[in-house]
Amino acid sequence: MQIRTGDTFDPRVIALLDHHATTARAQTAPGSAHALDLFGLRAPDIAFWTGWDGDTLVAVGALKTLSADHGEVKSMHTLTAARRRGFAGQMLGHIIAAARARGLERLSLETGSWDYFKPAVALYRAHGFVPCGPFEGYVEDPNSLFLTLDLTGR
């Protein structure tokens, strides 16, 4: 997979992000969905990437800078037809490497607690993320799981 800076004006990217938001929200209780929309992904504190298998967009992912030492994984999604081929792991690895390169010491995320989100949780756990409490304005919610990764190697 080739990972490059994402173009949030590309119709293929817009379609995959729309699918991500629509399906995730359909599996989440009202008020518990935290996916960024296109406007949110264009914010200056967001780095957004796309993953390509040839000419096919297969994955997206973003890094939101929360502070000088803390970042958040956002908008991770893999094309349904491309799942179980390692693309999500490659995108997450890219986000982790970018966070380290920026000097961040911690990378966190929020995902859903429902069965639909179990594959995502397994991916994050396989990359070393561990449960944590709500961070950066999130509140305790039975529909959310909060995970974090220490990037300092401690």
Side-chain angles (χ1 to χ4, degrees), residues 1 4 12 51-59 79 82:
M1 176 173 76
R4 49 186 137 153
R12 299 166 294 182
W52 299 84
D53 183 21
D55 291 332
T56 304
L57 174 63
V58 294
L79 182 70

Side-chain angles (χ1 to χ4, degrees), residues 69-149:
D69 64 352
H70 190 195
E72 180 180 7
V73 175
K74 296 295 289 183
S75 300
M76 279 280 301
H77 187 79
T78 304
L79 182 70
T80 304
R83 291 186 179 163
R84 315 249 4 124
R85 294 177 47 201
F87 296 134
Q90 289 177 52
M91 181 61 74
L92 183 57
H94 182 82
I95 293 169
I96 292 168
R100 283 191 171 114
R102 292 166 189 229
L104 301 181
E105 296 179 4
R106 185 169 76 132
L107 189 57
S108 301
L109 63 93
E110 179 277 338
T111 191
S113 63
W114 299 14
D115 287 347
Y116 173 83
F117 298 98
K118 282 185 178 179
V121 173
L123 171 73
Y124 299 131
R125 298 296 300 260
H127 280 81
F129 284 81
V130 296
C132 67
F135 59 92
E136 196 62 31
Y138 289 106
V139 296
E140 200 63 53
D141 180 346
N143 299 302
S144 291
L145 292 176
F146 302 98
L147 302 170
T148 195
L149 176 66

